[in-house]
Amino acid sequence: MQPLRSLSLWMDQLDEPLCARPALRESLEADVCIIGAGYTGLWTAYYLKRQAPQLNIVVIEANIAGFGASGRNGGWLMGNLLGEDRLLASLSPQQRRASIDLLHAIPDEVGNVLQREGIDCDYRKGGVLYCAARYPEQERSLRAYLDDLYRQGMTEDDYRWLRPEQLDAQVRISNAYGAIYSPHTATIQPAKLARGLARAVEALGVPIYENTPALDWRSGEVSTPLARIRCQWIVPAVEGYAASLPPLGKHQLPVQSLLVATEPLPDTTWDEIGLDRGQAFSEGSRQVTYGQRTTDNRLVFGARGGYRFGGRLRDNFNLQAHEVELRRYLFSDLFPQLRHARITHTWGGNLGMARRFRPHMLCDRQRGIALAGGYGGEGVGATNLGGRTLAALILNQHNALTGQPWVHDNRPLASLASWPPEPCRWLGYNAIIQSFVHEDRTLANPATPPWRRRLASHLADFMEGFMH
Ligand SMILES: Cc1cc2nc3c(=O)[nH]c(=O)nc-3n(C[C@H](O)[C@H](O)[C@H](O)COP(=O)(O)OP(=O)(O)OC[C@H]3O[C@@H](n4cnc5c(N)ncnc54)[C@H](O)[C@@H]3O)c2cc1C
């Protein structure tokens, strides 16, 4: 197995020994068994135990807390949910605004817990910049997106356009056309959050058994290699690893995302670039890019994903030279002064995509299952909402959390939308991604004639339509 410190820059930076907590060796009974010690599992344990200290809750984890996406992500802690526009479409304007406020409040809620629990994870609420940076069509599509946000009830306080000279005050990107800025995002050091949360949960009296994979699960019982847990509630919180707990794999597509980190860069370089308040930034391509300047002055930059036939997980994230160079090419396009910057860390992870890209929080009361997931690469903040919501559902509360359109209370697990079987998944995923790659290449070349530019964008629009 890959050494734990090499899982990500973030794991490497931890100044704690990375040794596993004891595994579960004896069968036990519990009220709630949480499978997976990433953010979803840990937030659920945290909110549940704080509200109902009498509950007997256990967490089991196949590796160590933070082993999954939670210890490897790009550190964008966003106050939103993937595809929230479609999820909120059927609500009245007032209801929609209330839901939007709930989402926007996520980074502050996390910030409050960090303070309360004394978790230091380099939290900085510097907002996010979605930059139109590489070709003029990015400005058009970002402006159209902004109009759409305003139609949904967002205001200039939530999202606003920055002209190039205004953007310069935050980040200096070569040839930028402008950007959307939103204050509702913070950046963090992801592994510090996962490991700190695990300690906070333990301090509340919730044991975490590491190196304890769930091998099998059915209503009221979870089997691990050495012991069984009999319980009233099971919370499978395995996101990108859903295939390890059938039938969850039907509902969750594992997708890989890859990142690189530079060495700490000198102040003079950052004086040229900016990003001095912990802002998250991305570039407006349909292929995801995400970055942040770390508190020790590195650039962390992630881009693009991958899906393996049959939903096979990738477990070796020692990136190949071409994977590293693609990311270098993309960040150098934004920041030419970093073309030769030394890359010290490269890594990646598996995340979960729900069908139609709609995250869900579900409570199957008959079978005693509560789960949240399908965050699709936007789960750092959403898992906090997921944890709070699952706690409320398990405690049978009916409140603002449980009344949201992404919450399916008292519904069987089987009601979640499934992905089509192979080879449809693989073909569909790759057809869509290839249309995005083609669009990106065509538009990034200034010599491409206008008719070909339009054609490439229409094709990508058309293919994107299949995602929803
Ligand atoms: C490379 C990358 C970059 C990302 N960047 C961002 C970002 O910048 N912002 C953002 O909002 N989101 C981002 N995401 C997504 C975000 O990290 C995830 O949505 C979030 O961490 C999911 O947390 P989780 O607890 O649900 O899953 P995970 O953190 O994956 O935790 C699942 C845990 O379950 C364990 N497990 C699996 N199977 C079993 C089993 N059978 N028994 C017991 N335990 C098991 C795993 O070991 C793992 O620890 C990124 C994801 C990746 C991979």
Side-chain angles (χ1 to χ4, degrees), residues 35-41 60-64 67-70 72-76 78 212-214 237-239 241 244-245 257 259 290 348-351 375 377-381 383:
I35 307 174
Y39 302 144
T40 300
I60 59 168
E61 161 59 50
N63 294 281
I64 63 163
F67 175 87
S70 300
R72 311 171 187 225
N73 60 72
W76 284 35
M78 305 159 81
T212 303
V238 296
E239 184 67 349
Y241 303 85
S244 76
L245 293 180
S257 187
L259 292 110
Y290 48 100
N350 298 295
L351 54 92
Y375 313 112
E378 300 191 4
V380 176
T383 48

Side-chain angles (χ1 to χ4, degrees), residues 47-68:
Y47 286 108
L48 206 46
K49 191 69 178 174
R50 271 181 62 90
Q51 287 183 72
Q54 76 284 4
L55 283 184
N56 181 358
I57 305 169
V58 296
V59 178
I60 59 168
E61 161 59 50
N63 294 281
I64 63 163
F67 175 87

Side-chain angles (χ1 to χ4, degrees), residues 119-156:
I119 300 172
D120 176 7
C121 63
D122 303 345
Y123 175 97
R124 292 165 299 166
K125 194 169 170 218
V128 57
L129 298 156
Y130 299 101
C131 304
R134 297 185 48 236
Y135 38 83
E137 283 82 354
Q138 290 190 340
E139 175 175 357
R140 215 171 306 145
S141 63
L142 280 178
R143 281 188 182 270
Y145 173 60
L146 186 60
D147 288 344
D148 206 38
L149 291 172
Y150 290 156
R151 270 194 296 276
Q152 288 165 39
M154 316 268 180
T155 68
E156 285 236 327

Side-chain angles (χ1 to χ4, degrees), residues 380-461:
V380 176
T383 48
N384 170 271
L385 184 73
R388 280 185 277 154
T389 306
L390 295 189
L393 289 166
I394 289 171
L395 297 174
N396 213 0
Q397 297 167 348
H398 299 277
N399 55 26
L401 290 164
T402 58
Q404 298 299 330
W406 47 83
V407 177
H408 312 282
D409 190 6
N410 210 3
R411 296 262 290 277
L413 178 58
S415 67
L416 281 181
S418 300
W419 286 95
E422 293 292 15
C424 303
R425 296 176 184 193
W426 188 84
L427 288 172
Y429 179 88
N430 282 297
I432 293 169
I433 293 300
Q434 282 313 313
S435 75
F436 294 176
V437 171
H438 174 256
E439 178 192 40
D440 221 30
R441 263 201 214 123
T442 309
L443 301 185
N445 177 0
T448 310
W451 70 268
R452 277 196 56 203
R453 304 181 79 88
R454 276 197 301 276
L455 193 65
S457 290
H458 286 320
L459 177 67
D461 280 344

